[in-house]
Amino acid sequence: MRRVIIATDAAEPVGPYPHAVQVGNWLFLSGIGPRRRGSTEIPGVLRDREGRIIGYDFETQCHATFANVGAILRAAGARWEDVVDVTAFLTNLERDFATFNRIYAQYLGHVQACRTTVEVQRLPTPIAIELKCIAYVEGQ
């Protein structure tokens, strides 16, 4: 069984791919960041008077990203407890890793999923975090 998941409560993908694909009991989420559905504004992006990006509120971006992941899980009939693997992409590990760990614990600390965190130079949109998750959904 292969099922494509489009979550109406999560930010639209930035390319020609779905939010997730379920194959049997395995659910593979595409990478997603903090954007909001139907908006070009990105939560936590700080701009100057001319509209240039001058920084970001990483905590705001983390919570918005986890909200998108949660929306995708719900759309697939899954829960946080079904997550088995997380890959986190951060643009500034030195500055943001401790904050990420603290917020990650609020959403997934009790789940004890495997996790890899890597620093990347940039992401496809002006964001500071992106998550890619794999879940195993019993009974589907």
Side-chain angles (χ1 to χ4, degrees), residues 40-62:
T40 58
E41 289 300 312
I42 298 171
V45 170
L46 308 174
R47 298 179 184 273
D48 66 14
R49 293 175 200 231
E50 286 77 41
R52 294 181 299 250
I53 296 171
I54 57 171
Y56 56 90
D57 177 334
F58 186 72
E59 187 163 339
T60 296
Q61 287 207 356
C62 277

Side-chain angles (χ1 to χ4, degrees), residues 84-99:
V84 296
D85 189 61
V86 177
T87 303
F89 303 94
L90 308 181
T91 59
N92 190 330
L93 275 176
E94 184 176 347
R95 187 183 103 167
D96 298 331
F97 189 69
T99 300

Side-chain angles (χ1 to χ4, degrees), residues 41 77-78 100 117 128 132:
E41 289 300 312
F100 175 67
T117 306
K132 169 122 180 69

Side-chain angles (χ1 to χ4, degrees), residues 1 8 12 14 27-28 33 37 58 75 79 93 97 121 136:
M1 171 191 96
T8 58
E12 298 91 337
V14 296
L27 179 65
F28 301 89
R37 186 167 199 83
F58 186 72
R79 308 168 300 136
L93 275 176
F97 189 69
Q121 186 171 359
Y136 186 81

Side-chain angles (χ1 to χ4, degrees), residues 24 31 35 37 56 102 109 114 117-119 135:
R35 292 177 309 101
R37 186 167 199 83
Y56 56 90
R102 179 175 49 79
C114 293
T117 306
V118 296
E119 182 177 82

